[in-house]
Amino acid sequence: MTVTSETAHRVKTVRPVGTRAVLAELDGLQDVLALQALLLESPLPGQLDVLAAAETVMIKAESPSAARRMAALLLDMDLTAPAHSNGSLVVIDTVYDGDDLAEVAALTGLGTDGVIAAHSGQVWTVAFAGFAPGFGYMVGENQVLEVPRRNSPRTAVPAGSVALAGNYSAVYPRSSPGGWQLIGRTGASMWDLSRPQPALARPGDRVQFRPVREVVAVTPPALPEAAPETVSEGTEQEAAQQAVPLVAGLRILSPGLQSLIQDLGRNGHAALGVSAAGALDRASLRRANRLVGNGSSAAAVETVAGGLRVEAVGDQVLAVTGAPAPLTIDSPSDAGEPGRQRTVPAATAFALLDGEVLSLGEAEGGFRSYLAIRGGADVAPVLGSRSTDTMSGIGPAPLAAGQLLPAGHVTDSGVVGSPELQPEFPGAGVTELDIVPGPRDDWFDDAALASLCSQSWQVTPQSNRVGMRLNGEPLRRSRDGELPSEGTVAGAIQIPPEGLPVLFLADHPITGGYPVIGVVTDEHLDRAAQVPVGGSIRFRIAPHAPTQTTTQEVSN
């Protein structure tokens, strides 16, 4: 249900975003910043994450019931009081020689020197993050530099480019496609995971651009080399043994099509432009960890379409869940005896002894399998998670042949779990997914929503962990114009101008500018993750789903 308030400096409308998030609409950026500050200072019950955008604030909840309770709480919040800001002042040295500087000078009528003076002569405030980690949308003290995006976006914008679009300025933290107007460049590192706070400029921070003639990239000082130690003849062998640590785990012989380290994701960093990532089939990850005695959030291997081969370094306890595939173990030859081969069942803990090789065959249903190792995959956490985010590049690199994946030592149980039954995974038929309409179904008429739910959509080869691109009869919008960028969630069904849906998965961008006609319910996200390329999807409006058609006026 859409709930609306008519009082100034209040949340205007609260729209459900699937079953575990809500979208608050406001009158302008001032109210957006005020609401964001209030929610970060005093979180609502069940609040997991807050993501501000141009005209909206999205709040993710820990449960559907918490999301439902948020509407009334949001409508009752007074945004007239000035929000407290603990933001810092960040000075960014900038060389003003961007490829679009002359174009911006012409568009604004300020001339080149006038653009430089206007950009560097005011303080900018980071309003919200999006697009990429470290990409902050900054608002200025005036609007003299308001310019449109380029008609044709560049395929690659260099890292450090200082840019303008609409009323915003930003610095590209890494090389990426982009359509903003480039006016300069900086050597400042906008995103650096080696810092306690990776983002140089966070939401709420103030930014001053300082004109310079030359970009200077600051690099950390090199660590001094340690002096060589003197080792006596009697201890040379002992020292050599200590120099080579004994690491037990799995050696990757073949990663298959793609194998990644995943856990349950890194929630709580949306304000920095970082998506949650994590396992796409969370139930299968939890099941695999449970079988080997790990905690539910331990890191494991997510692999697609079979082909993964690993060798045990030391005796290991493993379990494979998710898409059912033949599991074959080859034992090495011993004292002239030929090696042996055996099979093991899925969803069952088993031992892989030192030197034995496990091979995952082609999946017999579904698409993604999960390999858990007792103790968890011991890789370095980034922002509290060991998951790989394929869009931003945060987290461990994809597994590669020859790599040694260490096993950790943290478990939840001294024993392994009993074999478990697995759910039925998508096969050659059509997979049905429940959705909640909106938050932007009002950009489409009833015929478009009916078309979304009445046809089967085919998953195209262009699909990945960012999103599933679907092919079918295109949907038509009922209104023209552009939607200001706003927060998105995994499960969002975004409709680009050509009308073919994109179903966002865990590595999705945290903001998007295309209308979302519906959101897959949280309990069906795992099912969506198992639909293979070439498979078919049919959407169905979830029973008892909150709707966007009822409006409630609230007096305050």
Side-chain angles (χ1 to χ4, degrees):
M1 178 177 63
T2 298
V3 186
T4 303
S5 170
E6 292 185 330
T7 305
H9 298 293
R10 301 268 185 179
V11 173
K12 291 179 11 181
T13 304
V14 179
R15 298 171 179 265
V17 183
T19 53
R20 291 177 181 252
V22 294
L23 189 71
E25 294 182 299
L26 300 111
D27 275 325
L29 189 57
Q30 180 180 351
D31 285 353
V32 166
L33 297 178
L35 178 59
Q36 175 184 238
L38 288 172
L39 292 173
L40 293 177
E41 184 175 323
S42 302
L44 299 176
Q47 175 180 308
L48 284 181
D49 213 346
V50 175
L51 179 58
E55 299 175 0
T56 59
V57 176
M58 189 179 70
I59 305 98
K60 294 183 181 179
E62 64 184 10
S63 67
S65 58
R68 289 193 296 270
R69 289 192 295 267
M70 285 179 176
L73 296 173
L74 287 165
L75 289 166
D76 196 43
M77 297 179 75
D78 184 2
L79 307 180
T80 56
H84 298 288
S85 176
N86 298 319
S88 303
L89 177 64
V90 179
V91 177
I92 297 179
D93 289 342
T94 304
V95 176
Y96 286 96
D97 61 356
D99 291 347
D100 301 318
L101 182 59
E103 177 70 12
V104 171
L107 288 170
T108 59
L110 296 175
T112 298
D113 291 341
V115 170
I116 297 172
H119 191 258
S120 61
Q122 61 179 307
V123 175
W124 299 80
T125 300
V126 182
F128 54 91
F131 179 65
F135 189 100
Y137 289 76
M138 307 177 195
V139 292
E141 298 169 320
N142 55 61
Q143 297 184 1
V144 298
L145 292 177
E146 182 174 355
V147 291
R149 287 177 170 84
R150 289 170 50 86
N151 291 331
S152 177
R154 292 180 170 88
T155 57
V157 174
S161 296
V162 178
L164 296 168
N167 292 322
Y168 301 107
S169 185
V171 180
Y172 282 79
R174 58 186 293 186
S175 178
S176 60
W180 289 39
Q181 306 276 7
L182 307 185
I183 62 171
R185 54 193 169 92
T186 179
S189 178
M190 303 303 296
W191 181 259
D192 185 350
L193 286 168
S194 68
R195 296 190 296 238
Q197 296 290 351
L200 180 64
R202 298 160 55 89
D205 285 349
R206 293 162 296 128
V207 175
Q208 179 83 60
F209 292 92
R210 181 168 59 192
V212 296
R213 294 180 179 273
E214 183 179 356
V215 164
V216 177
V218 179
T219 57
L223 296 175
E225 293 186 7
E229 296 183 2
T230 302
V231 182
S232 64
E233 183 178 352
T235 61
E236 283 184 359
Q237 183 177 1
E238 180 182 352
Q241 291 174 345
Q242 292 178 350
V244 182
L246 298 176
V247 178
L250 298 174
R251 190 176 307 282
I252 310 301
L253 302 182
S254 170
L257 183 62
Q258 183 186 63
S259 294
L260 306 171
I261 302 298
Q262 296 294 343
D263 55 20
L264 291 179
R266 50 178 64 84
N267 288 300
H269 301 286
L272 299 180
V274 179
S275 66
L280 295 189
D281 184 348
R282 299 156 298 175
S284 290
L285 174 77
R286 292 189 179 101
R287 185 177 298 111
N289 277 322
R290 189 164 56 241
L291 286 165
V292 298
N294 291 340
S296 61
S297 61
V301 178
E302 177 184 273
T303 186
V304 298
L308 175 65
R309 295 179 65 241
V310 298
E311 177 186 6
V313 179
D315 297 346
Q316 305 299 333
V317 176
L318 310 178
V320 178
T321 60
L327 306 177
T328 305
I329 295 177
D330 292 290
S331 301
S333 57
D334 184 22
E337 294 292 329
R340 301 183 308 277
Q341 188 178 85
R342 70 183 191 275
T343 60
V344 292
T348 302
F350 60 89
L352 191 70
L353 304 181
D354 184 40
E356 291 186 329
V357 173
L358 170 69
S359 300
L360 275 67
E362 185 177 350
E364 300 164 349
F367 193 53
R368 292 177 168 89
S369 300
Y370 292 83
L371 168 63
I373 183 170
R374 182 169 174 80
D378 190 12
V379 297
V382 179
L383 296 178
S385 169
R386 293 175 168 85
S387 63
T388 299
D389 184 339
T390 59
M391 181 175 179
S392 69
I394 293 176
L399 297 183
Q403 175 182 349
L404 178 60
L405 180 63
H409 304 283
V410 179
T411 59
D412 261 14
S413 173
V415 297
V416 299
S418 301
E420 297 190 16
L421 293 175
Q422 293 214 102
E424 184 177 346
F425 288 93
V430 177
T431 301
E432 194 168 73
L433 301 176
D434 285 351
I435 66 169
V436 174
R440 297 299 174 187
D441 57 325
D442 53 352
W443 280 61
F444 305 88
D445 57 22
D446 292 342
L449 187 60
S451 178
L452 175 73
C453 296
S454 64
Q455 61 177 299
S456 295
W457 299 93
Q458 187 177 46
V459 180
T460 71
Q462 289 72 39
S463 303
N464 51 33
R465 281 182 49 90
V466 175
M468 301 169 70
R469 295 184 177 273
L470 307 179
N471 194 26
E473 184 66 29
L475 306 181
R476 294 184 179 275
R477 298 181 188 177
S478 59
R479 67 167 70 175
D480 298 323
E482 291 189 9
L483 176 71
S485 292
E486 58 190 26
T488 63
V489 296
I493 306 167
Q494 195 178 69
I495 310 297
E498 70 270 17
L500 295 177
V502 178
L503 171 56
F504 279 165
L505 298 180
D507 294 356
H508 65 89
I510 64 165
T511 59
Y514 298 137
V516 171
I517 192 173
V519 179
V520 174
T521 59
D522 187 73
E523 59 268 24
H524 277 194
L525 278 178
D526 293 344
R527 183 185 299 181
Q530 291 292 356
V531 180
V533 171
S536 295
I537 288 173
R538 185 182 293 269
F539 297 111
R540 181 187 73 161
I541 296 178
H544 312 298
T547 67
Q548 300 285 352
T549 56
T550 303
T551 299
Q552 177 181 338
E553 301 299 337
V554 178
S555 299
N556 290 295

